[in-house]
């Protein structure tokens, strides 16, 4: 969420920047709401000061034995006026907050213009797309032939966009998660958390999923409590410090967790209905970092490097693209997508997004900082996928398939799954 004074400051160029997202900022309405809030706060403060003054007069007059009837009437009128002004203050504050919660983050000027993935800028590549001496198949055909993926039974259980992994497939899924967690905790220094996958409305609001993206979420409840299934561990990991003040000298903080994630995929009807690419439920290792604003650029590079290291260790060719301003997520000011090469599809597909949110999420969630000299501020938050288990499995299946229909396991995963190969009949060795 934004500081309204920053949005109203012409030097911020908020209207121009948000227009690059396709968002029309109503500055006139914002100024009216902000002015009304300021005026009601000032009027309430003045009324409370006057009430205190009158109360002292009542006390002094009573001690002198004077008639205080009129003064007490003034005091009662002032109390009623204060109540009225406080009600007005709450109303306009809620209106202003509702307005600000709907305003996305200001995109960085380094993000290219545009509104789709076609406008993204390729900034780096690693590895060459694999060339086979046979016609590669996609992960669905290969996984079903190996007997490790079962979409038909998943559909019977839950409907489309779900999957069942069997035998070596389930072992691979588990092994990928363990490999990624050990990489990020032992080599990259992240603290691992096990967090709830059901969270409340304030938690979802803190990271920007609500109110705008409620249709993308699965909503449920326990007794009289409203709860949402998380779309990513970014939500609980970031909100671990909601309403807290972090010591500046303790930054940066680096958190990770492996959770199930749930997305309704509203608006994606007909897209990626085949296979593991776009599921309602999927597992993902998330990376979250907290730092000072001054360190944001360096921390984003560090975070991106950690996600890239996972792909490199798995031997998966990829490229890095900087998303266009109009295609950058609601809460992010700049996002890099890592796109892995999928031989079975003959193209690059997104496997990780790495984003810098500035202080946008911290303002919404109330995550503050305090330096040793007493200087206060808001934390800078960043997050990235490090990596999603399903899409990583897709890339491994398509990248490491063999001419005889078998699958070779990446060397980095062998210690976690304890086999090197899945034969065409699904047996491991």
């Amino acid at each position: 969420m934004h500081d309204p004074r920053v949005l109203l400051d012409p030097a911020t160029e908020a209207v121009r920047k948000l227009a690059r997202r396709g968002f029309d900022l109503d500055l006139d309405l914002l100024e009216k709401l902000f002015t009304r809030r300021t005026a009601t706060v000032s009027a309430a403060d003045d009324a409370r000061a006057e009430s205190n003054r009158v109360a002292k007069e009542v006390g002094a007059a009573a001690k002198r034995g004077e008639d205080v009837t009129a003064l007490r009437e003034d005091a009662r009128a002032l109390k009623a006026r204060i109540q009225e002004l406080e009600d007005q203050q709450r109303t306009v504050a809620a209106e202003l907050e509702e307005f600000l919660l709907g305003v996305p983050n200001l995109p960085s000027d380094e993000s290219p213009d545009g509104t789709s993935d076609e406008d993204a800028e390729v900034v780096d590549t690693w590895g060459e797309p694999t060339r086979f001496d046979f016609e590669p198949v996609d992960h669905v055909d290969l996984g079903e032939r190996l007997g490790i993926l079962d979409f038909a039974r998943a559909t019977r259980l839950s409907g489309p966009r779900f999957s069942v992994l069997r035998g070596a497939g389930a072992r691979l899924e588990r092994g990928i998660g363990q490999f990624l967690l050990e990489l990020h905790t032992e080599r990259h220094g992240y603290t691992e958390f096990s967090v709830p996958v059901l969270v409340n409305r304030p938690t979802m609001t803190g990271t920007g999923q609500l109110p705008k993206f409620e249709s993308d979420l699965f909503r449920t409840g326990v007794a009289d409590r409203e709860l949402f299934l998380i779309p990513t561990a970014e939500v609980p990991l970031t909100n671990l410090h909601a309403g807290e003040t972090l010591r500046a000298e303790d930054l940066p903080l680096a958190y990770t967790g492996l959770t199930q994630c749930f997305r309704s995929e509203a608006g994606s009807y007909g897209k990626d209905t085949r296979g593991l690419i776009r599921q309602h439920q999927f597992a993902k290792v998330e990376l979250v970092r907290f730092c000072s604003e001054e360190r944001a650029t360096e921390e984003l590079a560090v975070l991106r490097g950690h996600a890239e290291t996972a792909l490199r260790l798995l031997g998966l060719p990829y490229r890095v693209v900087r998303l266009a301003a109009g295609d950058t997520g609601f809460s992010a000011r700049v996002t890099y997508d890592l796109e892995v090469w999928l031989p079975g599809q003959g193209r690059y597909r997104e496997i990780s997004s790495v984003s810098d949110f500035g202080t946008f999420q911290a303002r919404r969630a109330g995550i503050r900082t305090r330096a040793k000299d007493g200087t206060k501020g808001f934390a800078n938050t960043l997050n990235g996928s490090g990596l999603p288990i399903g899409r990583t499995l897709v890339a491994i299946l398509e990248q490491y398939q063999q001419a005889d229909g078998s699958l070779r396991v990446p060397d980095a995963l062998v210690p976690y799954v304890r086999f090197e190969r899945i034969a065409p009949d699904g047996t491991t060795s």
Side-chain angles (χ1 to χ4, degrees):
M1 190 163 65
H2 298 282
D3 181 337
R5 293 166 296 186
V6 173
L7 293 179
L8 291 168
D9 185 348
T12 305
E13 297 186 280
V15 172
R16 176 188 69 81
K17 291 181 178 180
L18 288 169
R20 299 181 67 222
R21 283 185 176 273
F23 184 88
D24 183 14
L25 178 63
D26 191 340
L27 272 185
D28 289 339
L29 177 57
L30 174 58
E31 187 168 16
K32 287 177 183 177
L33 291 171
F34 182 67
T35 300
R36 281 176 53 203
R37 188 189 69 173
T38 302
T40 55
V41 169
S42 178
D45 288 344
D46 290 345
R48 281 188 286 269
E50 179 66 10
S51 178
N52 290 335
R53 185 189 66 77
V54 171
K56 290 178 181 178
E57 281 191 22
V58 170
K63 284 182 180 180
R64 294 191 299 268
E66 298 175 1
D67 184 0
V68 295
T69 302
L71 285 173
R72 284 178 174 164
E73 283 296 323
D74 289 345
R76 280 193 289 270
L78 280 168
K79 287 182 179 179
R81 176 60 176 161
I82 291 169
Q83 182 63 54
E84 178 186 355
L85 288 169
E86 287 178 344
D87 290 343
Q88 292 178 11
Q89 184 179 331
R90 282 190 290 270
T91 298
V92 71
E95 292 176 4
L96 178 60
E97 180 180 40
E98 181 181 8
F99 179 96
L100 292 171
L101 285 174
V103 179
N105 204 349
L106 303 180
S108 168
D109 285 339
E110 67 183 279
S111 299
D113 291 331
T115 58
S116 73
D117 54 5
E118 295 180 356
D119 302 308
E121 174 189 2
V122 178
V123 297
D124 199 7
T125 60
W126 183 86
E128 293 292 330
T130 307
R131 305 300 177 191
F132 295 93
D133 56 7
F134 61 93
E135 187 66 29
V137 298
D138 73 6
H139 70 282
V140 177
D141 289 339
L142 180 61
E144 290 182 336
R145 290 177 192 175
L146 292 171
I148 63 174
L149 291 178
D150 191 334
F151 294 102
R153 285 188 172 89
T155 299
R156 289 208 300 270
L157 290 172
S158 305
R161 295 192 191 274
F162 287 92
S163 62
V164 167
L165 282 80
R166 173 182 179 273
R171 286 268 294 277
L172 273 172
E173 180 184 51
R174 175 160 47 92
I176 292 168
Q178 291 174 334
F179 159 73
L180 292 170
L181 284 176
E182 287 197 13
L183 170 67
H184 296 312
T185 56
E186 296 182 9
R187 184 184 297 192
H188 296 152
Y190 287 78
T191 300
E192 181 182 355
F193 285 84
S194 176
V195 291
V197 297
L198 284 166
V199 299
N200 57 28
R201 182 172 286 271
T203 299
M204 282 291 190
T205 303
T207 40
Q209 280 73 27
L210 289 177
K212 183 175 177 60
F213 301 104
E214 188 160 350
S215 64
D216 291 330
L217 304 172
F218 285 104
R219 178 182 172 187
T220 182
V222 178
D224 60 344
R225 285 185 292 155
E226 177 190 52
L227 294 169
F228 297 87
L229 285 162
I230 62 170
T232 165
E234 166 202 347
V235 176
L237 287 174
T238 302
N239 280 281
L240 286 171
H241 292 299
E244 297 180 8
T245 299
L246 306 176
R247 299 194 310 172
E249 61 266 30
D250 292 336
L251 301 177
L253 300 175
Y255 296 166
T256 188
L258 169 59
T259 66
Q260 292 293 320
C261 305
F262 305 86
R263 297 182 185 178
S264 72
E265 296 296 348
S268 66
Y269 180 78
K271 296 180 181 178
D272 294 313
T273 56
R274 177 178 168 83
L276 297 171
I277 294 292
R278 197 182 295 272
Q279 299 257 287
H280 288 311
Q281 176 183 340
F282 58 97
K284 180 156 66 84
V285 172
E286 193 72 5
L287 307 175
V288 168
R289 298 181 75 86
F290 302 83
C291 68
S292 64
E293 285 190 84
E294 295 76 21
R295 284 279 307 170
T297 299
E298 292 84 355
E299 288 295 314
L300 183 60
V302 168
L303 179 59
R304 179 182 137 189
H306 292 162
E308 290 189 50
T309 296
L311 291 172
R312 294 187 182 197
L313 289 174
L314 292 170
L316 300 174
Y318 66 90
R319 69 181 184 183
V320 182
V321 300
R322 184 186 291 121
L323 296 190
D327 197 32
T328 300
F330 178 85
S331 298
R333 61 183 182 184
V334 61
T335 295
Y336 291 92
D337 272 2
L338 309 186
E339 298 181 341
V340 68
W341 176 254
L342 297 182
Q345 300 185 32
R347 58 174 173 152
Y348 287 99
R349 296 298 305 269
E350 182 231 319
I351 195 169
S352 173
S353 286
V354 181
S355 299
D356 171 19
F357 302 103
T359 60
F360 185 82
Q361 290 181 329
R363 288 181 178 278
R364 294 170 76 101
I367 307 171
R368 293 174 169 81
T369 61
R370 180 184 290 113
K372 286 183 177 180
D373 64 3
T375 303
K376 297 179 181 179
F378 286 93
N380 197 109
T381 62
L382 310 98
N383 89 274
S385 303
L387 304 161
I389 311 304
R391 293 194 180 197
T392 303
L393 180 57
V394 168
I396 289 170
L397 288 172
E398 298 197 8
Q399 179 72 27
Y400 286 92
Q401 60 184 296
Q402 306 297 303
D404 64 356
S406 66
L407 180 77
R408 181 170 68 84
V409 176
D411 292 342
L413 286 183
V414 172
Y416 300 91
V417 300
R418 297 191 299 280
F419 56 81
E420 299 178 353
R421 179 176 179 269
I422 303 177
D425 63 0
T427 60
T428 59
S429 59

